[in-house]
């Protein structure tokens, strides 16, 4: 199924209305359109719809879309160029391939990854990912270790913009304690960005104080099977 820029604009309006209904300011919360699992044409449609911030979880998919955009330049009427966010668990050996393409590394969760990004992409903008659920498959730094990792990243020359977290599996209200803890920690560390919330728990995240949400399904529909 092809998703057109018109379809995407309609869904963006719906998401922004949900943000407003949850008490947030749609103009103040960054909407990261998660294009993982879709082909390059979906990324092109998102850009044509005016979405500048695109999120990917896998290095090979992000690089394939970058290569596609470079090989087939966007029409002049497309209003924006992509700012790629890397969202997934990241192996250090992938950093050198991604450096120079990622605008915001959202899943920085351990010292060796800090050092590799600082080496390959000096001064990069990063978020420190917290493990809010103790689910090892989701990655993330233990909450108690977060201040130390933030300090290390800053000392390494990285531009630490904020914190990122993924809600535990289950009903959206289960996300509230973790989201609120992340926001409180970001405030204590004087970090402006709080990347929390996805399609299913957007309202909980906005109420907790999200400044950035990561939306895939509610913009583009169900992801094709891998």
């Amino acid at each position: 199924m092809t998703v057109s820029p018109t379809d995407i604009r309609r869904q963006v309006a719906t998401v922004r209305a949900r943000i407003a209904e949850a008490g947030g300011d749609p103009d103040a919360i960054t909407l990261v359109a998660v294009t993982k699992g879709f082909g390059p044409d979906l990324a092109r449609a998102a850009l044509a719809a005016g979405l500048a911030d695109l999120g990917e979880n896998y290095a090979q998919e992000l690089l394939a879309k970058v290569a596609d955009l470079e090989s087939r330049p966007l029409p002049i009427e497309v209003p924006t160029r992509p700012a790629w966010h890397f969202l997934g668990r990241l192996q250090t050996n992938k950093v050198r391939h991604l450096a120079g393409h990622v605008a915001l590394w959202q899943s920085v969760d351990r010292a060796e990854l800090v050092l590799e990004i600082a080496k390959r992409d000096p001064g990069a903008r990063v978020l420190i990912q917290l493990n809010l659920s103790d689910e090892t498959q989701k990655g993330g730094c233990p909450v108690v270790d977060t201040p130390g990792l933030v300090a290390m990243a800053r000392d390494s020359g990285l531009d630490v913009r904020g914190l990122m977290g993924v809600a535990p599996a289950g009903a959206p209200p289960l996300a509230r304690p973790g989201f609120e803890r992340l926001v409180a920690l970001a405030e204590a560390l004087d970090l402006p960005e709080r990347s929390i919330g996805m399609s299913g728990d957007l309202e909980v995240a906005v109420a907790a104080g999200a400044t950035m949400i990561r939306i895939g399904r509610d913009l583009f529909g169900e992801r094709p099977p891998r």
Side-chain angles (χ1 to χ4, degrees):
M1 182 180 70
T2 301
V3 182
S4 73
T6 300
D7 296 330
I8 295 170
R9 290 188 196 99
R10 187 180 304 114
Q11 295 305 111
V12 168
T14 298
V15 169
R16 294 194 184 283
R18 289 174 61 191
I19 292 171
E21 289 168 6
D25 179 355
D27 294 326
I29 295 177
T30 301
L31 175 56
V32 179
V34 182
T35 54
K36 76 169 185 178
F38 293 96
D41 286 344
L42 187 281
R44 288 175 171 272
L47 292 167
L51 291 169
D53 296 279
L54 305 183
E56 287 289 332
N57 282 52
Y58 304 105
Q60 62 270 29
E61 287 192 26
L62 190 154
L63 293 170
K65 288 166 187 169
V66 167
D68 178 82
L69 290 173
E70 290 177 350
S71 66
R72 296 189 294 143
L74 290 163
I76 194 67
E77 63 269 17
V78 172
T80 189
R81 294 296 182 268
W84 293 104
H85 296 235
F86 194 84
L87 307 174
R89 298 193 74 175
L90 181 58
Q91 297 174 315
T92 55
N93 63 0
K94 302 294 186 183
V95 172
R96 63 189 177 93
H97 301 291
L98 293 167
H101 301 300
V102 175
L104 183 64
W105 305 79
Q106 288 211 29
S107 54
V108 179
D109 62 357
R110 60 197 188 278
E112 56 264 40
L113 189 52
V114 165
L115 295 175
E116 187 67 13
I117 293 173
K119 175 182 176 182
R120 303 290 184 178
D121 195 8
R125 299 168 70 246
V126 304
L127 303 184
I128 300 300
Q129 181 180 354
L130 277 61
N131 189 326
L132 299 177
S133 62
D134 295 325
E135 296 171 273
T136 56
Q137 72 274 19
K138 289 184 177 175
C141 177
V143 175
V144 296
D145 295 338
T146 300
L149 190 60
V150 168
M152 179 192 174
R154 285 170 165 164
D155 290 344
S156 298
L158 298 179
D159 181 8
V160 184
R161 303 299 303 156
L163 305 178
M164 185 270 260
V166 179
L174 296 175
R176 181 171 291 110
F179 286 171
E180 290 177 345
R181 190 176 186 187
L182 181 148
V183 169
L185 184 55
E187 290 175 350
L189 296 173
D190 195 26
L191 295 170
E193 296 288 1
R194 302 88 187 259
S195 176
I196 49 177
M198 297 187 286
S199 293
D201 53 26
L202 179 161
E203 286 81 4
V204 177
V206 170
T211 64
M212 186 177 289
I213 56 174
R214 311 178 303 273
I215 307 295
R217 183 192 66 217
D218 284 4
L219 291 176
F220 310 126
E222 294 296 335
R223 199 169 290 119
R226 286 178 63 82

